[in-house]
Amino acid sequence: MHVETPLRSWSVGTLPFFYRCQKIPSNQSYGLPDQLPFRLEFDAKLGLVRQGGNTEVERALELCYQQGSEISGMMEENGIGRHYAADFLAYIEKSESTLSGRRVLEIGCGTGYLLSLLQTRGAEVVGIEPGRQGIEGGNRYGVKVIKGFFPVAEIGDKFDMIIAYAVLEHIIDPVRFLGDVANSLRPGGAAYIAVPDCTPYLENGDISCLLHEHWSYFNQGSLRRVCAAAGLEVSLESSGFGGSIYCRATPGAAAEADFSVETESSASEFDSFQAKARQASAQMRAFIQGTGDAGIYVPGRMINLLAITPCAASRKLRFFDDNAAMKGLYYPGFDFPIEDFAALKNAPPARLLIATSSFHKQVSGRISAAGLDIPLTTWADFFSGSDVAELN
């Protein structure tokens, strides 16, 4: 007799609904909530960590996507987006001998920048994008972009290639979505997928990866199992830039595979993730309860942890970031404007958490060079293991 495995779940708490940094400490000007509940579940069949269903979250996200969500980094011709696009395009070209004459669909194409690169290589391209940036970008780059959600009738015939970059984690039912992708491929066609690699977050108890817009939190094992459940065979590799998992998927896998042996260890990792996150919250509480104001460098990495830490809202905090575009802006629900290094130098906080080990040496070096004597706390003081890249 088959016995259903009890659902593992964790009510994380009420987390910030991060749409973009604002001129006021609220999302109200966009008609969006500042915080929403967040519940994690472990799908024992797929060994997948996912966000539990919530209609309130779904309504808020639909409004975000219609307005043109900027939560995730987009591939773009300027800034860091150019590096994302170049790295993913290089991955595609390793497997495709030619792009000339290939019919290509990109789901969630953003501004259409990647499509424009494929078009210059001779591909026949079309994109789907629910946000206004799709039509605007399509006009700018001279590529066809349909406003809407996949699948839509307007895309017409099947494709040689389908691209979903930083899309699958946004889909409530990834197996069904991938099934639709498989059915939209021509014989011999392939899908190219990229998702954030959540492995280091889940291993370290780092809940900064938890975003309401992300329904699934993949590692290589869970991505392979989800693809297999949709009838897709895959090859996987880590991205060269940006902390993603790249995937080439083709129809052919047995959709009814049994993953029970593989998922047992994933279940214990889910339990460990909860325990480590609670330990990190205790560390945060100790950090902010000291005398004087506490500063956090790169605060975006810590707003979730602050949200689940008792007494954090009542303490005097200061946020610092080197991104000039963020100066003076707010994270939703936090009445602390983002300051730059000059503000820190002119009025140092009583203690400072540098919330990324990647740039800890750089930031601490600037503090030392400025002659400031500030007690420093590191990312590693809260989490074990190596630092992780920002999620897409």
Side-chain angles (χ1 to χ4, degrees):
M1 181 178 68
H2 175 70
V3 178
E4 288 290 334
T5 303
L7 178 68
R8 277 179 161 87
S9 66
W10 175 31
S11 294
V12 182
T14 300
L15 299 185
F17 186 83
F18 181 58
Y19 175 49
R20 54 167 70 107
C21 287
Q22 314 280 11
K23 294 181 180 179
I24 59 174
S26 174
N27 290 322
Q28 64 183 17
S29 59
Y30 293 95
L32 296 167
D34 292 333
Q35 300 95 15
L36 284 173
F38 199 103
R39 181 170 56 86
L40 272 184
E41 297 177 347
F42 180 74
D43 184 328
K45 181 178 180 181
L46 297 171
L48 174 66
V49 177
R50 67 188 185 192
Q51 181 184 176
N54 186 321
T55 56
E56 192 177 5
V57 171
E58 292 180 44
R59 287 194 297 267
L61 290 175
E62 184 177 1
L63 180 57
C64 276
Y65 296 140
Q66 289 173 353
Q67 295 184 34
S69 171
E70 296 179 6
I71 307 174
S72 294
M74 292 188 295
M75 290 185 282
E76 187 55 272
E77 63 179 332
N78 299 312
I80 196 171
R82 188 181 188 93
H83 298 293
Y84 284 117
D87 193 64
F88 193 56
L89 181 58
Y91 171 72
I92 292 172
E93 291 186 316
K94 285 197 304 184
S95 298
E96 300 294 330
S97 58
T98 181
L99 293 170
S100 180
R102 306 299 298 278
R103 191 160 191 261
V104 180
L105 168 68
E106 184 179 6
I107 303 168
C109 66
T111 64
Y113 175 62
L114 179 64
L115 289 176
S116 74
L117 299 180
L118 295 168
Q119 185 169 259
T120 63
R121 287 159 170 78
E124 176 190 340
V125 303
V126 60
I128 299 175
E129 172 59 48
R132 59 177 178 269
Q133 71 267 29
I135 301 301
E136 294 168 356
N139 292 334
R140 182 163 73 251
Y141 293 121
V143 297
K144 181 180 179 181
V145 177
I146 298 168
K147 184 176 174 60
F149 293 91
F150 175 81
V152 293
E154 294 96 313
I155 62 175
D157 200 3
K158 296 188 176 185
F159 296 86
D160 299 300
M161 289 171 50
I162 296 179
I163 295 169
Y165 183 96
V167 169
L168 192 61
E169 66 272 18
H170 299 255
I171 305 300
I172 295 177
D173 187 343
V175 174
R176 180 176 179 179
F177 173 86
L178 290 172
D180 289 336
V181 168
N183 291 332
S184 299
L185 287 169
R186 289 174 173 173
Y192 289 88
I193 298 163
V195 298
D197 186 357
C198 295
T199 302
Y201 293 89
L202 298 175
E203 288 178 348
N204 295 318
D206 184 353
I207 66 170
S208 66
C209 67
L210 303 182
L211 303 171
H212 288 96
E213 68 162 344
H214 288 186
W215 294 98
S216 296
Y217 297 86
F218 294 103
N219 56 24
Q220 288 203 12
S222 60
L223 178 57
R224 180 176 54 80
R225 290 187 290 269
V226 166
C227 288
L232 293 167
E233 295 180 345
V234 301
S235 60
L236 304 173
E237 66 179 66
S238 298
S239 65
F241 181 84
S244 294
I245 303 169
Y246 288 166
C247 169
R248 184 179 190 270
T250 55
E256 297 300 322
D258 182 4
F259 305 118
S260 57
V261 175
E262 293 183 31
T263 60
E264 287 181 9
S265 63
S266 297
S268 62
E269 290 166 3
F270 179 73
D271 296 338
S272 177
F273 174 65
Q274 298 180 53
K276 290 180 178 180
R278 292 190 177 100
Q279 291 171 4
S281 177
Q283 289 285 99
M284 176 61 77
R285 182 173 185 176
F287 171 75
I288 63 179
Q289 283 186 323
T291 303
D293 55 351
I296 301 178
Y297 228 104
V298 194
R301 291 289 299 275
M302 290 292 171
I303 58 173
N304 282 350
L305 195 58
L306 286 168
I308 69 166
T309 299
C311 82
S314 63
R315 306 298 296 184
K316 170 60 176 174
L317 298 174
R318 294 173 66 191
F319 289 167
F320 301 94
D321 203 288
D322 287 331
N323 186 342
M326 297 174 69
K327 182 180 178 181
L329 300 182
Y330 296 83
Y331 285 96
F334 293 93
D335 196 12
F336 317 118
I338 299 169
E339 304 175 67
D340 59 13
F341 186 82
L344 181 147
K345 182 178 177 180
N346 292 333
R351 58 200 171 281
L352 182 69
L353 163 61
I354 302 175
T356 167
S357 64
S358 298
F359 299 101
H360 179 270
K361 184 178 292 186
Q362 177 182 335
V363 175
S364 61
R366 293 173 68 193
I367 291 172
S368 178
L372 301 175
D373 184 18
I374 307 173
L376 300 180
T377 298
T378 70
W379 181 91
D381 292 327
F382 284 78
F383 307 102
S384 60
S386 61
D387 196 9
V388 290
E390 293 293 339
L391 281 184
N392 292 312

